Amino acid sequence: MSDKNLAVVTPVILAGGSGTRLWPLSRKSYPKQFVPLLGEQTLFRSVVARLSGEGKGFAFARPVVLTNATFRFIVAEQLAQEDTDPRAIIIEPSVRNTAPAILAAALHLAAGDPEAVMLVAPSDHVVPDAEAFRAAVSQGLAAARSGDLVTFGIQPTRPETGYGYLQVVARPDGSGQPIKLARFVEKPNAARAQEMLASGDHLWNAGIFLFAAKDLIAAFEALAPDVLAAVRPAVDAAEGDLGFLRLSAEAWDAAPDISIDYAIMERAGNLSVVPYDSGWSDLGGWDAVWSHAGPDAAGVTVGGGATAIDCSDTLLRSDSDGMELVGIGLSNIIAVAMNDAVLIADKSRAQDVKLAVEALKKKGAVQAESFPKDHRPWGWVEGLLAGERFQVKRIVVQPGQSLSLQSHFHRSEHWIVVEGTAKVTVGDEVTLLTENQSLYVPAGAKHRVENPGKIPVVFIEVQTGTYLGEDDIVRYEDRYARG
């Protein structure tokens, strides 16, 4: 049984970002935090699990999650998979970087308790040792409760040029106790990174923070009042929506696009750093995934339907059912295959994967940003085949869920159920379809598919018509309040 005298720390999880360095598995429509990159658990689910339970002298409260409207149902689903009931899922109306997002969480918490202590963490980092991390939080708690803004610095293991650094006033002594911060250091070149590694008084900036809500708000009042002037009314005018908390778009959109480092951390005087040396990565490239996946004696990692023959220092990964990827005699190669895109790169060029995304954007390829599976609040849909006047899709509806009651002007649809039992509405008729049964939906007819059962419903949808865009839809009823 928990000790009622334990300090309470509220996790604030940032889950709205969309990186490009792990393309094609991570894309704008379904970024890396929601993907099972290492094992079966997604990065988002792993941070939810890590920031739960108790540490020495404290207990984690229910988390606050910040995300955007596109990811809100994915966040809710993955929280449910971890049996976690969040304090709030806050919807950011537009991208405004970490300073406005973290301030919104602080204002939300302070409305109930100005003394509330919040631990801010990105949702796309790997921290293998959850107990060691909780111990580090415990080390920083006294400083945070006494008014410091606490950040976490990772003991560097190599002269990394892809991270920002924290210079502390003294070398960490191994105790894990907070150290005063001397200054922030931007991402260095290779020579400077080597110097900082040798100095012993520089740590990687993990982007993880611990502070009382009132102290962060006070810092914004003093150092970034323009951010506070926009975010406070956005929080005050926030509205509930199907269990989510939507910030006011009109106020929020006036907020500057600025990081918490630039707005506050690089300018505040009450800063402490907790040194951490028990393993951490932001999985900022496929080379990092290769490292954390546990290469074999030849330096090879394989995932999904991948096979390596006489390879070395190579990552091979297939993330599509039925897609077999075989590498023969490869060295220092990254190869990631999906059903709509394949990446092949020299491992030393892992940080340049973003160039592939930029090139695909220029040529108008949907693969640049769109994931082949389009995740919806009721399940997901995957394109299988497309022509000028037809499309074939596989659609999965989770138990108890339903599509909206809708119609289309320009296309008709034919549905074939291949798994489960679907409750289908077309016009005024309601029908139960089981495996191997089908139904035709003419253009203009109101229709809906529901799953009344306990297993997912899977059906194949064949669309035909003069226009097949997703914007050819009129919704009449929708339990998920989509327009």
Side-chain angles (χ1 to χ4, degrees), residues 416-430:
I416 305 142
V417 176
V418 295
E419 292 181 31
T421 298
K423 180 182 177 182
V424 177
T425 300
V426 178
D428 295 328
E429 295 188 13
V430 179

Side-chain angles (χ1 to χ4, degrees), residues 51-70:
L51 306 188
S52 63
E54 298 179 2
K56 183 179 180 182
F58 76 94
F60 282 119
R62 294 185 298 152
V64 172
V65 182
L66 290 109
T67 189
N68 58 50
T70 301

Side-chain angles (χ1 to χ4, degrees), residues 57-142:
F58 76 94
F60 282 119
R62 294 185 298 152
V64 172
V65 182
L66 290 109
T67 189
N68 58 50
T70 301
F71 304 147
R72 67 193 189 280
F73 291 108
I74 301 172
V75 165
E77 179 184 2
Q78 295 200 3
L79 284 167
Q81 290 168 349
E82 290 297 318
D83 294 322
T84 297
D85 178 23
R87 174 182 175 126
I89 300 175
I90 299 177
I91 308 301
E92 301 172 58
S94 57
V95 177
R96 285 297 181 270
N97 217 313
T98 55
I102 295 169
L103 176 58
L107 291 166
H108 174 73
L109 290 172
D113 177 13
E115 302 291 334
V117 174
M118 50 194 286
L119 176 72
V120 179
S123 60
D124 57 357
H125 290 185
V126 172
V127 181
D129 192 336
E131 287 303 316
F133 182 76
R134 293 188 188 105
V137 173
S138 180
Q139 293 276 35
L141 193 54

Side-chain angles (χ1 to χ4, degrees), residues 304-307 318 320-326 337:
T307 301
S318 171
S320 294
D321 295 338
M323 173 72 74
E324 290 293 331
L325 174 65
V326 180

Side-chain angles (χ1 to χ4, degrees), residues 24 31 45 59 68 138 163 193 202 213 242-244 341 348 355 392 404 412 432:
R45 288 181 59 186
N68 58 50
S138 180
Y163 299 149
H202 286 78
L242 295 177
F244 305 105
S348 66
L355 300 178
V392 182
S404 62
S412 59
L432 286 179

Side-chain angles (χ1 to χ4, degrees), residues 408-452:
H408 312 289
F409 291 109
H410 303 289
R411 74 173 185 251
S412 59
E413 297 173 345
H414 196 99
W415 298 335
I416 305 142
V417 176
V418 295
E419 292 181 31
T421 298
K423 180 182 177 182
V424 177
T425 300
V426 178
D428 295 328
E429 295 188 13
V430 179
T431 308
L432 286 179
L433 293 185
T434 57
E435 294 178 12
N436 297 320
Q437 292 185 319
S438 63
L439 193 72
Y440 173 69
V441 182
K446 293 182 180 180
H447 58 278
R448 176 178 10 223
V449 176
E450 302 173 71
N451 182 355

